[in-house]
Amino acid sequence: MRTQIALFIGILFFASCGEEKKSNVSSVVAETNADAEQVVDVRTESTLEMVSILEDIKANNDPLLNLYDSKGRVPLIEKQLSDDPKKRFSPTWFGYCQDLIRAGDPEKSIEEFERYFDMSIPLADQIDHNNKLIVLELMALAYLRIGEEENCRNAHTEFSCILPLEGPGVHQLKEGSTKAIELYQIAYDKNPQDYQKWLINLGYMTLGNHAEEVPEKYAIPFPNWKMEEEEFPRFKEIAMNVGVAQNGLAGGACVEDFNNDGLLDIFATAFGIDEQARLFINNGKGGFDETTESAGLKGIFGGLNCLQADYDNDGNIDILILRGAWLEDAGKWPNSLLRNNGDGTFSDVTKEAGILSYFPTQTATWGDYNKDGNLDLFVAHESSPLQTSPCFLYENNGDGTFKDVSQDVGLGEVKGFIKGTVWGDIDNDGWPELYISVYDRENLLYKNENGVFTEMAKKAGVSEPIHSFPCWFWDVNNDGYQDLFVSGYDMAYPHVAADVYAKELQNKKTEISHPRLYINNKNGTFSEKTSTYNISRAMYPMGCNYGDLDNDGYLDFYLATGCPDYSAIVPNRMFRNVGGKKFEEVTSSGGFGHIQKGHAVSFADIDQDGDQDIYTVMGGAYNSDDFNNVLFENPGFGNNWIILELEGTKTNRSAIGTRIEVELDNGQKIYRIVSTGSSFGANCLRQEIGLGQAKKIASITIDWLNSEVQVLEDVAVNQKIKIKEGNAGFEALNHTYIPFAQGSGEHVHQH
């Protein structure tokens, strides 16, 4: 798909198995340097085998096939230009200049542009045809990148790249933005486009004088308070304070208790072929310690997405890493199933488990499709004109291994460029349905009838949008039935993300990329209610998830936005659920408007104060488009809460698919189904439920997937409890507030 966009730009330029034994653990001892302590390599033989596979992929990477490896392409194109001077200022040269910016050398690209233009003549006087206009805009983008690198990346603060820019978020080194503004103004004057106008405004924002200095002809209102809710408390970005501001490209994240100490940890991956997956263990002191190497994960590289579940029912949460997405024929990378050994280490058991394959993917979903108490796995791949990639439903054999049953259960013909997949029980019959988001095609919904699937998306009314990306099931209005959100993502032309955002701010209508919110009609069909809920906007989410920001019992959502193009400098966006009837945007007031490329999103109460914080993986696809991951601390809203940790016995140990009903003392009912949420991002599996101002819980009903309904009555609020399938009552668990570590400056946690 991205290849098509690259070709479009070129045309425009021309035209104008089983349990692994302890004996497998390697006892290799390596000296890191002469003075260092000895470090024991705890990686298992199977992990080392996967490391070797990944090293081979890295060694054999072809930058001519890997669209996003600009750094690898630059020397190859430099040689072409040197060998054939006639290619100077040709489409090959233009691609070279793009690759210089994407590889992290915008200064060198500017040198090339200054050779292209006659710098003794005003640039505005030289733009006499479309080719020169395109080169001018690329030059402007190079200056914009210089400003970003000097100010946001090299001098990173908690305010960096978050709109509206405040304090240290304003650029101190101003030349990059100043030159970019000048060049984009020339481009706009020659051929006015909304994305140019937005980037001009953005440039002024980085200089700290947007409202006062931007000329009227270029001005766009930001924030547009007619579109957003102005009165909402700001969430502070604290990732650097607590040790989880991992720098990298696009990637996945799981927030979960991986060592069973009751505290939430963070696992994060990144897209790059040489980017190490990282495990951060909560130290109980307000921060995290990285334990990647001691956990046996050294050399486990890559992964655009990841998600967790206890697939072998041993009480330890395992992790699945998904690789190769967007790379088409160059994306024949294996996924990784990381088994949690329960001693702080993980083993890559992909091959032994029977799920090793080499197809590009970023989406999969855990669910017990046949209700046998073991979690099954659906892995969706990306078919393209270059290759057809089958999808697999892996049935869990109950012994640590899986078998592909796709053909047997009606899923054997699922193919397409699949960008999202999730399980959800649309009719409350206990049998989970499967939704599949297919880019550039109608989406799919498979009805589960006692473990056999029948496609019914059109019948159910949920086949759109045609251009879609991540998706999820949730209960928007707390009526006890799962609704469905499917994002829109239409890469119709270059600069599209910035262009449609600029149009939206100016109240101009856009026809592409709008998401769909489908409300469950309780009869196997859905009604499309996107406009009714005030979210019919072109928002370009790559990763996303949902949670309850204000603990009012209604689910809110965060969209991590962007696209690979470097002009896609648009804010990530947060929407608050207003009583289950509509959403209001709180991006700007809440401090969520990060303009780096957002990916996996996780909602979780990390500091144990009862409200959900948000961890988000930032960074794009090209080599130099890396950025620090962020952690937003929830300031608190004064509402009550309950946290439910479910342990299945007949049901899968993670309790995935279990339905929860919480009835409050005021009669309000709140519904949840256990999952990690969105198809791109992973919430913790324990259920963190806001209760509003309710003083007591009248009842909690647990509708286990594989056993009788369990009811608890008269439960106190503001506590974490453990409920075990088949056991009467519950166990109260420790959940004491642990303040996040402080950075520079005073920070007071509010409740």
Side-chain angles (χ1 to χ4, degrees), residues 307-467:
L307 61 159
Q308 80 277 15
D310 183 2
Y311 80 92
D312 53 2
N313 289 335
D314 66 352
N316 304 306
I317 303 295
D318 314 294
I319 303 170
L320 179 71
I321 301 176
L322 303 167
R323 300 189 179 99
W326 295 107
L327 296 175
E328 299 188 358
D329 197 45
K332 296 177 180 178
W333 300 12
N335 300 323
S336 277
L337 178 59
L338 303 177
R339 189 186 66 198
N340 187 335
N341 298 318
D343 59 0
T345 69
F346 289 78
S347 299
D348 191 306
V349 296
T350 315
K351 184 176 180 180
E352 296 93 320
I355 64 170
L356 180 65
S357 65
Y358 292 85
F359 299 103
T361 186
Q362 69 172 51
T363 188
T365 183
W366 294 101
D368 186 1
Y369 91 94
N370 57 358
K371 298 181 63 173
D372 66 353
N374 300 306
L375 282 175
D376 311 302
L377 176 65
F378 182 76
V379 182
H381 296 116
E382 297 175 353
S383 292
S384 71
L386 295 178
Q387 73 170 28
T388 298
S389 303
C391 299
F392 300 114
L393 175 60
Y394 292 110
E395 182 180 309
N396 193 324
N397 294 320
D399 60 0
T401 68
F402 296 81
K403 61 182 176 183
D404 174 27
V405 296
S406 309
Q407 295 288 344
D408 302 331
V409 300
L411 298 174
E413 301 305 314
V414 179
K415 295 181 180 66
F417 199 80
I418 297 174
K419 301 310 297 176
T421 185
V422 283
W423 297 102
D425 185 1
I426 67 171
D427 51 8
N428 292 341
D429 68 351
W431 294 88
E433 276 70 54
L434 182 67
Y435 191 80
I436 301 173
S437 168
V438 188
Y439 187 82
D440 204 24
R441 249 184 53 191
E442 290 185 341
N443 300 318
L444 306 170
L445 174 63
Y446 282 90
K447 179 75 176 75
N448 186 344
E449 299 175 292
N450 300 323
V452 178
F453 294 90
T454 304
E455 207 287 310
M456 58 169 293
K458 277 193 172 181
K459 180 180 178 181
V462 295
S463 60
E464 294 184 343
I466 298 300
H467 299 97

